[in-house]
Amino acid sequence: MTGLDPTKMPRHLAIIMDGNGRWAEQRMLKRIVGHQRGAETVQMVVDQASGLGISYLTLFAFSSENWSRPKLEVRALMALLKKYIRNELRRMLKNNIRFNVIGNRADLPSEVNEILDDALRQTASNTGMVLTLALSYGGRQEIARAAARIAQQVQDGKLQPSQITEAVFSQYLDTAGLPDPDLLIRTSGEMRISNFLLWQLAYAELYFTDINWPDLTINALHAALADFQARERRFGKTSAQLVSTSNQG
């Protein structure tokens, strides 16, 4: 698909990669096969986002609620995650991509954390797109952790309640240092954000598609980006105010 404006790309694209299991079940395959095919889609999206000049890409890979899935599936997902990071590390280094992780990593197996730490360390000096995986992540849990950290700072006398602003609060979130997403894409037809980046998505544009994640194509991704570029982002202002500001610029 052509016609995308390189000057109007979202700075930060977030994606809920939904529909792997559904894709497999529709084909009478094991659910893990859907996740394996989904990993191939991840490679395509990372390559496309980096090539299109998107600065930040955040993927919802494993939620805090996903721990309640059957143990066999969880183990298979952890094994797939380890394989993915190992395979992608070389590509991230080649393409100058900096790896990042958000979520409650304390719940992840030690061998997974070791691989994550290695990827974080080896890509730390890269200056290209920041690829963030949300692992064992939940938005409410993240906000609660941030509130607890702030409360401890207040208790220790290092922070006054009057100093707690939105900007200060953001510094205690897992995403500290990252801009808020401009666009959220969710696949598989579900129209909810499922406890993902609850604070950060306050002004994001939302795009939902019926396509299951393993079936997402380059054209489908470009269609979502084209839809984003056609929207007017007002952030509480009127259209007339935006025109006036643009003319003044």
Side-chain angles (χ1 to χ4, degrees), residues 99-120:
F99 184 59
N100 185 44
V101 181
I102 59 174
N104 185 8
R105 289 185 56 191
D107 288 341
L108 295 172
S110 58
E111 63 270 20
V112 171
N113 274 317
E114 289 174 6
I115 293 173
L116 294 175
D117 285 335
D118 183 56
L120 290 167

Side-chain angles (χ1 to χ4, degrees), residues 42-104:
V42 171
Q43 290 181 338
M44 178 274 289
V45 170
V46 171
D47 288 345
Q48 282 291 307
S50 178
L52 290 168
I54 293 171
S55 299
Y56 300 87
L57 174 64
T58 299
L59 305 176
F60 201 4
F62 190 86
S63 75
S64 52
E65 290 80 15
N66 285 157
W67 291 113
S68 63
R69 290 188 175 185
K71 291 183 179 180
L72 185 62
E73 182 175 351
V74 171
R75 285 199 298 270
L77 286 171
M78 291 297 110
L80 181 60
L81 174 61
K82 290 190 293 182
K83 180 180 179 181
Y84 171 78
I85 299 300
R86 288 196 189 101
N87 291 343
E88 288 302 298
L89 179 56
R90 181 178 298 178
R91 289 159 59 91
M92 287 190 285
L93 292 171
K94 177 182 178 181
N95 296 317
N96 195 30
I97 293 172
R98 180 160 65 87
F99 184 59
N100 185 44
V101 181
I102 59 174
N104 185 8

Side-chain angles (χ1 to χ4, degrees), residues 34 44 66 90 103-104 124 148 163 172 179 187 207 214 219 235 237-238:
M44 178 274 289
N66 285 157
R90 181 178 298 178
N104 185 8
Q163 296 176 302
Y172 289 84
T187 55
Y207 181 90
N219 282 346
F235 299 100
K237 297 180 180 180
T238 66

Side-chain angles (χ1 to χ4, degrees), residues 80-211:
L80 181 60
L81 174 61
K82 290 190 293 182
K83 180 180 179 181
Y84 171 78
I85 299 300
R86 288 196 189 101
N87 291 343
E88 288 302 298
L89 179 56
R90 181 178 298 178
R91 289 159 59 91
M92 287 190 285
L93 292 171
K94 177 182 178 181
N95 296 317
N96 195 30
I97 293 172
R98 180 160 65 87
F99 184 59
N100 185 44
V101 181
I102 59 174
N104 185 8
R105 289 185 56 191
D107 288 341
L108 295 172
S110 58
E111 63 270 20
V112 171
N113 274 317
E114 289 174 6
I115 293 173
L116 294 175
D117 285 335
D118 183 56
L120 290 167
R121 182 174 59 254
Q122 290 201 49
T123 65
S125 61
N126 288 353
T127 58
M129 186 181 76
V130 177
L131 170 62
T132 300
L133 292 188
L135 297 169
S136 189
Y137 175 87
R140 287 183 174 181
Q141 294 87 333
E142 178 192 26
I143 291 170
R145 287 196 301 272
R149 294 188 192 110
I150 291 173
Q152 188 64 55
Q153 292 285 297
V154 172
Q155 182 174 306
D156 294 343
K158 298 178 180 178
L159 188 66
Q160 295 298 316
S162 59
Q163 296 176 302
I164 303 172
T165 62
E166 290 183 19
V168 169
F169 193 91
S170 294
Q171 295 172 11
Y172 289 84
L173 293 169
D174 296 358
T175 53
L178 302 179
D180 289 343
D182 302 292
L183 171 64
L184 169 73
I185 297 173
R186 179 168 186 157
T187 55
S188 88
E190 303 292 351
M191 301 178 69
R192 57 179 180 271
I193 59 175
S194 295
N195 201 22
F196 184 46
L197 300 176
L198 297 181
W199 175 279
Q200 299 87 340
L201 290 174
Y203 280 99
E205 299 296 321
L206 307 182
Y207 181 90
F208 302 102
T209 174
D210 291 335
I211 300 171

